[in-house]
Amino acid sequence: MGYLVDSYEKTITAQGIILRKSGEGIEVFLVHDRGKENKKPAGWGLPGGKVEKNETADDGLVREVEEETPFRVSGCHYLFTEEKKCAGARGANQIQVFLAEVCEESRTKAPSAEEEIDGGRWFTPEEIFRAPFAGPDMENGVYFSHKARIFLALRLLGLIRPLAEEDAPPPAGERKRMVPY
């Protein structure tokens, strides 16, 4: 288990990677965020949210996943932590990412108009990585930071392979030779 959040100097967010096997390999469950006025655009991302005072990160993850998805959490496993300093913030923002084990769609949940999450669906990793980034005019995009966290989680779990040498970008300062056609 994690430690309790006892100070607001550090904002801790817990996010869950929810996976299932499918005919095409694996799928990741993402939720669609309506976007917050003047804060962030609408888009697809990982379920999760801020850990409340006197709550552990894994308890916060369970609460958030059960609020935002039709799933009941049966277990969670810590994967990694991302630390970032927010401009103008008093402290750091820490994002703890977990693999969330869930029971199959165990309840129906219709989002209300007041909720920031208005639905969710399963995506293949290829769909996630090929999707546009969420932005002011792209409400069906996937948040950049969430794509990065999904990529890292899938690599840590051994579910995606590293790039082949020929796919890798050239070293800094070098360019791949372009051949005219």
Side-chain angles (χ1 to χ4, degrees), residues 22 35 73 91 160:
S22 72
V73 177
I160 56 176

Side-chain angles (χ1 to χ4, degrees), residues 5 15 50 61 63 68 77 85 88 92-93 96 100 104 114 131 156:
V5 175
Q15 291 183 333
K50 288 184 182 173
L61 174 73
R63 178 182 46 75
E68 296 178 355
H77 307 279
K85 176 76 172 143
N93 187 15
Q96 293 188 20
E104 241 343 274
E114 301 83 46
L156 288 171

Side-chain angles (χ1 to χ4, degrees), residues 8-27:
Y8 289 110
E9 289 298 316
K10 182 179 282 192
T11 301
I12 298 178
T13 301
Q15 291 183 333
I17 306 282
I18 301 172
L19 302 174
R20 76 172 179 186
K21 291 181 182 177
S22 72
E24 296 142 27
I26 60 163
E27 293 179 317

Side-chain angles (χ1 to χ4, degrees), residues 17 23 49 79 81 103-104 114 137 178:
I17 306 282
L79 292 173
T81 296
C103 302
E104 241 343 274
E114 301 83 46
D137 299 321
M178 303 297 275

